[in-house]
Amino acid sequence: MPAGVVIAGAGQAGFQVAFSLRSRGYDGPITLIGNEPHIPYQRPPLSKGFLAGKQEIRHLHLRPAAYYAAQAIDFLAGEEVTRIDRPSRQVELGSSRQLNYDTLILALGARVRTLSLPGAELDGVCYLRSLDDAADLRQRLQQANEIVVIGGGFIGLELAAVARLAGKRVSVVEVQPRLMPRVVSPVISEYYAKLHRDRGSEIRLHSVPSKIIGAHGRAAGVLLNDGTHIPADLIVAGIGVLPNIGLAEGAGLETANGIVVNEYLATTDPCIYAIGDCAAHPSLFTETLIRIESVQNAVDQAACVAAAICGETRPYTDVPWFWTDQFDVKLQMAGLSSGYDQVVARGDPGSNKFSVFYFREDRLIAVDSVNRPADHIASRKILGSGSHLRPDEAADEGIDLKSFAPAG
Ligand SMILES: Cc1cc2nc3c(=O)[nH]c(=O)nc-3n(C[C@H](O)[C@H](O)[C@H](O)COP(=O)(O)OP(=O)(O)OC[C@H]3O[C@@H](n4cnc5c(N)ncnc54)[C@H](O)[C@@H]3O)c2cc1C
């Protein structure tokens, strides 16, 4: 009897690899182990529709509970994988149970980076990563009036938009001089700062929080290092995540900012793969190993590993893409824009529909599209095919992007 595939982590990537294996006809044992008490669910709605009270838990599930038994996927909820014994190809669980594997897939995701400020431990200082975090935050949001969001990245801004739409007073505190600075160009940052300000939020850039002020044992405000005090009855920090690499480190696998994998997503042990938010992988779109935190990356890496297990080994080369919804604006990003040396816009930010094209040495490397889904779809195809689009062509609305994108 083969030991089959053991998947550690039952998030987006872990679920998808089990799903893809069965869809491809893999008929060996599959064990999916997750340390959360829920069946696998999607995280994007946690800072969008679910937080806003427009979606319920059942809408988030990737498949209904009955799916797992029907597909002979042994799903273990609320179980932590605590150790990997590579020589005997076994994992140990928190319940002391041991499981053999032929192939082990680490789909362990990431955990939130926490504030290291005086007062950060006070009640009323929250983070958002899991369904339990979101359910707690949703309740707190209903009761709060003044919300301070620390961190002007995607999750902080989505949350700020939900809070503002619920009529709350919202301040966003960002250390950098612009919003979402790691991933978008100044033109997009400026558009989003204006969007949030126009809807009534206070956007404080270049602002460094130095302390959480407490009153009656709970958080009551944020003190900035220029002496400004922002009152708050709810403080949410969205200041990035740290990949879950401890299990891999303990097993002697190579780690950096993530579990290091090759172009086939195998770790330094060929029987062990790592995928999704926890994996640091080579990419056609960067010269260094990269860790990408997106649904696309989790799903496509899972599909790539499932194919390899079924005998169709191919390198992971998919075009990275991502989206964020804030108010009624959808930003869709294709490619990776870091290291660009030229930016051109297509359309006018004032019209709330425009795209920004990023080039390095005249080669297109990424496209951000605001409320222009057709540009996004065409851009993914152009980036994936390597077809050559010049900056002047990208900026010219008279030129149809689809003519540069291969059909299909
Ligand atoms: C609030 C929020 C909004 C987001 N919005 C978007 C969006 O709009 N668009 C987008 O593309 N992406 C978005 N993302 C990112 C996206 O959800 C992640 O990139 C994706 O979930 C990564 O999947 P994963 O399986 O690698 O990790 P996860 O989904 O985090 O799953 C990993 C799972 O493994 C579990 N685990 C960890 N260690 C162990 C262990 N030792 N044993 C057992 N289980 C373990 C974790 O608890 C977790 O359940 C969002 C994320 C969040 C938190």
Side-chain angles (χ1 to χ4, degrees), residues 84-269:
I84 305 168
D85 180 346
R86 288 168 53 198
S88 55
R89 288 203 202 161
Q90 269 189 346
V91 291
E92 200 171 290
L93 308 186
S95 57
S96 301
R97 204 173 141 189
Q98 285 164 348
L99 291 175
N100 296 325
Y101 63 82
D102 295 320
T103 304
L104 173 64
I105 298 164
L106 302 177
L108 302 164
R111 62 193 184 284
V112 290
R113 195 187 284 277
T114 54
L115 293 167
S116 52
L117 293 176
E121 71 295 344
L122 286 165
D123 182 32
V125 178
C126 300
Y127 302 90
L128 177 53
R129 176 74 196 179
S130 66
L131 179 51
D132 290 348
D133 294 340
D136 175 55
L137 202 52
R138 181 160 119 165
Q139 265 198 338
R140 288 175 182 265
L141 199 54
Q142 278 171 8
Q143 284 142 23
N145 293 311
E146 296 180 302
I147 290 113
V148 173
V149 176
I150 300 181
F154 296 123
I155 289 177
L157 291 173
E158 288 181 352
L159 204 145
V162 168
R164 189 64 207 120
L165 284 169
K168 313 294 176 179
R169 215 185 127 124
V170 177
S171 301
V172 177
V173 174
E174 167 59 49
V175 174
Q176 298 294 323
R178 59 188 184 88
L179 297 176
M180 303 179 281
R182 277 191 309 128
V183 277
V184 300
S185 59
V187 58
I188 301 273
S189 297
E190 279 156 29
Y191 172 83
Y192 274 89
K194 182 172 177 334
L195 174 73
H196 283 263
R197 284 178 176 137
D198 285 353
R199 305 291 173 104
S201 296
E202 195 170 4
I203 303 291
R204 291 175 175 270
L205 303 172
H206 260 317
S207 295
V208 182
S210 59
K211 185 178 177 183
I212 307 296
I213 314 266
H216 313 294
R218 56 184 327 282
V222 177
L223 185 68
L224 304 184
N225 69 355
D226 64 2
T228 308
H229 173 210
I230 316 172
D233 44 17
L234 178 61
I235 296 163
V236 193
I239 53 170
V241 295
L242 299 168
N244 290 325
I245 58 175
L247 196 58
E249 277 176 337
L253 299 172
E254 189 183 345
T255 58
N257 173 34
I259 304 168
V260 172
V261 293
N262 63 16
E263 66 270 43
Y264 303 103
L265 307 169
T267 65
T268 37
D269 179 333

Side-chain angles (χ1 to χ4, degrees), residues 8-14 33-36 43-44 46-48 79-81 107-110 128-129 155 158 244 247 275-278 292-296 298 321-324:
Q12 188 85 50
I33 307 161
N35 61 4
E36 294 186 63
R43 286 178 208 278
L46 299 182
S47 50
K48 306 176 183 73
E79 271 281 18
E80 174 104 9
V81 179
L108 302 164
L128 177 53
R129 176 74 196 179
I155 289 177
E158 288 181 352
N244 290 325
L247 196 58
I275 55 175
D277 282 15
C278 68
I292 297 181
E293 296 153 18
S294 76
V295 168
Q296 169 278 322
W321 58 266
F322 187 84
W323 79 96
T324 172

Side-chain angles (χ1 to χ4, degrees), residues 269-292:
D269 179 333
C271 299
I272 306 179
Y273 293 90
I275 55 175
D277 282 15
C278 68
H281 62 94
S283 164
L284 297 178
F285 296 85
T286 56
E287 275 154 21
T288 52
L289 290 179
I290 185 157
R291 215 173 47 71
I292 297 181

Side-chain angles (χ1 to χ4, degrees), residues 192 321-325 328-334 346 351-357 367-382 397 400-402 405:
Y192 274 89
W321 58 266
F322 187 84
W323 79 96
T324 172
D325 296 329
D328 46 358
V329 178
K330 185 180 276 297
L331 169 62
Q332 294 168 292
M333 289 153 275
R346 183 180 179 93
S351 69
N352 293 315
K353 286 184 182 180
F354 67 105
S355 294
V356 174
F357 292 69
V367 182
D368 294 344
S369 302
V370 173
N371 288 337
R372 282 178 72 130
D375 283 7
H376 174 69
I377 297 295
S379 302
R380 274 165 45 184
K381 289 184 180 166
I382 296 171
E397 293 212 66
D400 186 0
L401 286 180
K402 285 206 292 291

